[in-house]
Amino acid sequence: MAADYRLGHLTWFAVVSLISLAQAFYIPGWSIRSYSDGEVVPLFVNKVYSDNTQLQYAYAELPFVCPASGRKYGAGGLVSGSNVALNLGEVLRGDRIIMSDYELEMGKDEEARYLCSHKVDRAGLQRAREVIDNGYVAEWIVDNLPGATRFVSADKSRKYYATGFKLGYKEYSPVSGRPRYFINNHVTIVIRTHRAPGKDGQQGKKVIVGFEVYAKSIGTENRDKNGLPSSIQHVHNGMELAFPRSNATLAEKFPDSSYVPSEDEDDGDAAATLTIPYTYSVYFRDEESIEWANRWDLFFVDQEDNTKIHWLAIINSLIISGLLTAVVAVIFTRTIRGEIKNYRDGSMEDGKIAPKRPKNASTPRKAEEKPSLLGRDGEHEDDVSSDEDAIEDTTGWKLVHGDVFRAPAYGGILASLTGSGMQLVVMASGLVALSCFGFLNPSFRGGYISVGITLFVIAGVFSGYFSARVYRTFGGQLWQKNAIVTATLFPGLLFITVFILNLFVWAQASSTALPFGTLVALVALWLLIQLPLVYLGAWYGFVKVGPWQHPIKATVIPRQIPRNSWYSRSVQSVLLAGLIPFAVIFIELLFVFKSMWQDKSGYYYVFGFLAVIGVVLVAVIMEVTVIAVYIQLCSENYHWWWHSFAVGASSTFWIFLYCVYYYFNHLHIQGFVSSLLFFAYSGLACTVYALLTGTVGFLTAYAFIRRIYGAIKVD
């Protein structure tokens, strides 16, 4: 047993070492788009998002931007205002990609070009102020690259990109102290190019390796007849979001009233609308130091700068795992092995052993209540009295041998939760593996969500299989009902929650809201594909494979459980056990949360570190569960089924508390709906984590108990 355990620990160490070498290298896309000089380069507008809110909006639907004209560009039949086909992941992340009116031709610089003059009414003006006040930034796309602003690190040694650009800014009047809002109505677009690889490069074609957008606010004065400003570099006044004042004074307009309206309410005929002129500049610049394969690197410089912290997180997790490994090794190699050896030696002495019974031992059962044991071949042995007497005259975990395999209360629900957890384990393992080897990368927009949903649906086979086997092991007979419950328990909870949240988001007219067609497609995936796969896996697991065999049968009458110490009681032990896995991942959680809630880009690049910590986390959960279940059995408490699942999932409680801490100390979310979305999505993420880790803990404890109780059998 000790040798097997050491072999298993070495296997875990080898897996961790191999994954650490992966470093999540980037694999380019399936095809590289190269452009000839003069060829049209499409520019797409996507959405606006902010760190201060979870609500996103489609850029093209904002009332103060230039509407699409419907013009055609190039020989490819591109039409401005046309929607780009999105995958499921892009829709779920709030993308709304539309062809714009910006004209870009490869290699052709435009110092200043007129786009449109858009008239904004009072509602549009107020909407623009709200967007600026909430700090929204816009996301544009060229050649699948998001528009970004280039910055230089504090030590001026490295350059990096920050996605998006500000729609405007706010300043306060030095006279009145009131806020003044200015909209960025001019953008300078910089396209960085590199010679195309292969034959295209020999033909003079280029690839795009950078897309930068710099926004500026330019007032309406000093413009020519084409609407172009006299100077782009030297701007004295910005484009203020305020209606022009009429000639009549406020006192003349309201002579018989003591009410004095604000400047914004002075809406005479001349102030009915505000005309905002939009212009742009385009520059193409060669970038010899960046190739197409590593054009995303500048987006992840900040993550690379935190490499030392990532390594600190890995070292922290390895230390915790090493300490737990030592504890489990002691349990296996000394305590359990010694107890099993003493039992075997005593039972082989004249076929019977009768050690002195401790005073505090529980009263033994009557002869007719003694459990029957199964031999190694699965058949009942004719004479098991010596084994039973030996076990009955001992203490600790062997004393509950007749009850340890007794089916738990609500076993059908536990089986369904186990099946759902295995489905999530398969999905998470697939996502991390594909990300580590570069198949899922930032160029695959929405890929993580799309592939995750695909893996989740396909993994329904594993969900049904494990759920059905556990269900039959508990003595269940209605496997069809169990399959339906397994297929609807977690997906149903997820769908109901998302649908309710969608009602709030719909009311805000946000692009974060899922379209009705997308909801129908998700329901179709759930009921028409995932449900049959779960049913198929359940049929195979229940009918073809059958239940897991137990080395010892459960007795008819359950024994009484003595009062336990405070630390071994269910709630306390579960919460204490959850602190250890949480300590493994809490450092890396800061980077994950920043990528999800602050950067809003969804680009988490260091999957190599995350994979290592994930593997160590699973190992720690397995070890913590073994220790917790062993302590519980030594306390003569045989209700370990639900306890093992709760111990495995217990760290989710501390993770959710960390979410609450992160909300109040790192985020600046405003509004009820945004806060509701944060806590609801955090709760769903914690639920997914609890199902996944709870299943790992349950299956680990199940294998551990079958092993130790099978080992006390005498050959």
Side-chain angles (χ1 to χ4, degrees):
M1 183 182 298
D4 293 340
Y5 179 77
R6 286 193 293 269
L7 179 60
H9 181 60
L10 290 175
T11 302
W12 277 113
F13 181 79
V15 171
V16 172
S17 301
L18 288 175
I19 295 178
S20 64
L21 297 176
Q23 294 296 326
F25 59 90
Y26 175 75
I27 294 179
W30 299 109
S31 61
I32 302 176
R33 176 67 190 275
S34 56
Y35 297 87
S36 303
D37 288 340
E39 186 175 354
V40 173
V41 179
L43 188 153
F44 301 93
V45 295
N46 187 8
K47 61 186 178 183
V48 295
Y49 55 89
S50 171
D51 295 342
N52 300 323
T53 177
Q54 301 304 314
L55 298 175
Q56 303 174 139
Y57 298 95
Y59 179 87
E61 296 178 1
L62 296 176
F64 53 87
V65 302
C66 291
S69 62
R71 290 180 294 181
K72 293 185 179 181
Y73 297 96
L78 297 174
V79 180
S80 67
S82 58
N83 295 308
V84 176
L86 305 176
N87 59 48
L88 183 58
E90 289 175 312
V91 176
L92 293 178
R93 69 194 295 265
D95 288 349
R96 300 295 184 267
I97 304 177
I98 295 176
M99 179 65 188
S100 72
D101 278 313
Y102 291 89
E103 298 183 22
L104 282 65
E105 296 182 15
M106 176 58 69
K108 182 180 179 180
D109 292 348
E110 294 277 357
E111 184 177 356
R113 186 156 185 170
Y114 176 78
L115 182 65
C116 81
S117 291
H118 185 58
K119 292 185 178 181
V120 182
D121 58 10
R122 183 170 300 280
L125 189 70
Q126 182 62 30
R127 181 64 176 145
R129 291 179 174 179
E130 293 174 356
V131 167
I132 295 173
D133 210 22
N134 289 323
Y136 276 90
V137 297
E139 180 183 292
W140 292 357
I141 301 171
V142 166
D143 195 44
N144 208 28
L145 281 176
T149 304
R150 177 179 286 201
F151 294 94
V152 180
S153 59
D155 57 0
K156 299 182 179 180
S157 62
R158 308 180 73 179
K159 299 177 181 179
Y160 65 93
Y161 277 158
T163 57
F165 63 92
K166 289 285 186 179
L167 293 174
Y169 61 93
K170 179 177 68 171
E171 64 181 29
Y172 291 89
S173 172
V175 178
S176 63
R178 298 182 58 185
R180 302 174 62 192
Y181 296 88
F182 296 85
I183 190 169
N184 292 327
N185 57 338
H186 179 88
V187 291
T188 299
I189 300 171
V190 179
I191 306 294
R192 301 194 178 272
T193 61
H194 189 87
R195 191 181 69 174
K199 295 182 179 180
D200 288 345
Q202 297 175 1
Q203 297 174 1
K205 293 185 178 181
K206 298 179 181 179
V207 293
I208 297 176
V209 296
F211 172 36
E212 302 171 9
V213 182
Y214 303 94
K216 182 180 296 185
S217 180
I218 303 178
T220 57
E221 64 275 6
N222 299 324
R223 290 179 178 261
D224 59 19
K225 61 180 181 180
N226 296 321
L228 298 177
S230 58
S231 176
I232 302 296
Q233 288 76 22
H234 306 286
V235 178
H236 301 286
N237 297 316
M239 183 66 209
E240 185 177 1
L241 293 174
F243 291 121
R245 299 292 300 275
S246 61
N247 294 328
T249 63
L250 295 177
E252 293 174 348
K253 296 186 64 176
F254 301 92
D256 300 326
S257 175
S258 60
Y259 171 70
V260 179
S262 65
E263 295 179 1
D264 293 342
E265 294 175 310
D266 184 16
D267 55 353
D269 295 338
T273 59
L274 174 66
T275 301
I276 303 177
Y278 285 90
T279 55
Y280 63 99
S281 304
V282 182
Y283 298 97
F284 289 85
R285 294 293 180 265
D286 291 334
E287 188 70 49
E288 297 298 332
S289 61
I290 301 177
E291 296 184 358
W292 191 91
N294 56 9
R295 63 179 185 165
W296 285 89
D297 290 354
L298 289 179
F299 290 92
F300 307 111
V301 170
D302 57 337
Q303 295 188 19
E304 294 175 0
D305 290 341
N306 294 315
T307 301
K308 293 183 180 179
I309 302 178
H310 290 297
W311 280 112
L312 176 63
I314 290 179
I315 294 174
N316 168 72
S317 60
L318 289 176
I319 292 175
I320 295 175
S321 177
L323 294 175
L324 289 176
T325 301
V327 175
V328 175
V330 171
I331 293 176
F332 267 106
T333 59
R334 293 192 176 183
T335 307
I336 294 179
R337 188 177 66 175
E339 292 177 350
I340 292 175
K341 184 178 182 299
N342 293 336
Y343 165 72
R344 285 175 175 267
D345 294 342
S347 61
M348 288 186 294
E349 182 180 334
D350 297 331
K352 188 174 181 180
I353 181 172
K356 185 177 180 181
R357 184 175 185 80
K359 295 181 180 180
N360 60 349
S362 301
T363 304
R365 295 184 179 87
K366 297 180 180 179
E368 60 272 13
E369 299 175 2
K370 292 180 180 179
S372 59
L373 304 179
L374 293 175
R376 289 189 178 276
D377 57 356
E379 301 293 335
H380 291 279
E381 294 183 347
D382 294 334
D383 186 9
V384 295
S385 59
S386 61
D387 291 348
E388 293 175 353
D389 293 340
I391 299 176
E392 287 290 350
D393 290 332
T394 58
T395 59
W397 59 273
K398 296 190 296 298
L399 195 61
V400 295
H401 71 284
D403 299 281
V404 72
F405 292 109
R406 187 182 306 280
Y410 307 104
I413 298 179
L414 180 58
S416 297
L417 293 177
T418 303
S420 299
M422 280 304 303
Q423 193 172 5
L424 294 170
V425 167
V426 174
M427 180 196 73
S429 301
L431 284 176
V432 173
L434 292 174
S435 301
C436 286
F437 292 102
F439 294 103
L440 290 179
N441 51 64
S443 66
F444 186 5
R445 193 180 306 275
Y448 299 109
I449 301 177
S450 299
V451 175
I453 293 176
T454 303
L455 291 175
F456 180 82
V457 172
I458 296 175
V461 175
F462 298 92
S463 174
Y465 172 81
F466 280 90
S467 176
R469 290 202 67 184
V470 174
Y471 179 71
R472 188 170 181 182
T473 302
F474 291 159
Q477 298 298 324
L478 303 176
W479 68 271
Q480 297 92 339
K481 177 182 177 182
N482 170 257
I484 295 176
V485 171
T486 303
T488 57
L489 185 62
F490 174 69
L493 172 65
L494 184 64
F495 178 80
I496 292 175
T497 304
V498 171
F499 181 78
I500 294 176
L501 293 176
N502 227 34
L503 297 178
F504 290 93
V505 180
W506 267 334
Q508 301 293 324
S510 170
S511 65
T512 310
L514 300 182
F516 180 76
T518 303
L519 291 175
V520 173
L522 292 175
V523 173
L525 284 175
W526 171 22
L527 299 180
L528 301 182
I529 300 180
Q530 191 240 3
L531 179 58
L533 289 177
V534 173
Y535 193 89
L536 177 63
W539 170 82
Y540 184 78
F542 190 92
V543 177
K544 294 296 183 180
V545 181
W548 279 287
Q549 299 298 325
H550 295 156
I552 301 176
K553 280 190 174 182
T555 57
V556 178
I557 301 177
R559 69 183 296 113
Q560 185 177 0
I561 301 175
R563 182 177 178 83
N564 300 319
S565 303
W566 69 269
Y567 58 83
S568 61
R569 296 171 190 169
S570 296
V571 177
Q572 290 90 330
S573 62
V574 167
L575 293 179
L576 287 175
L579 280 173
I580 302 176
F582 175 73
V584 172
I585 62 174
F586 82 97
I587 297 178
E588 199 66 24
L589 279 179
L590 181 64
F591 298 99
V592 176
F593 284 5
K594 181 180 179 181
S595 176
M596 291 176 57
W597 301 114
Q598 290 184 282
D599 293 345
K600 299 293 181 65
S601 59
Y603 304 144
Y604 185 85
Y605 195 53
V606 285
F607 279 100
F609 293 104
L610 185 63
V612 173
I613 292 178
V615 171
V616 177
L617 173 65
V618 171
V620 168
I621 290 174
M622 296 171 66
E623 293 167 340
V624 168
T625 306
V626 167
I627 296 173
V629 170
Y630 178 74
I631 294 175
Q632 185 183 25
L633 294 178
C634 289
S635 301
E636 300 182 21
N637 186 352
Y638 53 85
H639 294 307
W640 63 271
W641 302 93
W642 280 103
H643 185 75
S644 63
F645 190 94
V647 168
S650 57
S651 54
T652 191
F653 172 78
W654 304 105
I655 293 176
F656 188 79
L657 289 183
Y658 189 78
C659 291
V660 176
Y661 163 80
Y662 193 85
Y663 173 84
F664 288 104
N665 291 274
H666 293 276
L667 299 182
H668 306 284
I669 294 179
Q670 303 172 359
F672 169 76
V673 176
S674 295
S675 300
L676 177 65
L677 290 176
F678 173 83
F679 285 107
Y681 287 141
S682 298
L684 285 177
C686 290
T687 301
V688 170
Y689 175 88
L691 286 174
L692 192 153
T693 55
T695 299
V696 171
F698 168 75
L699 294 179
T700 302
Y702 192 22
F704 167 71
I705 288 178
R706 291 179 64 203
R707 180 67 182 272
I708 63 174
Y709 282 96
I712 65 175
K713 298 298 296 178
V714 180
D715 296 333

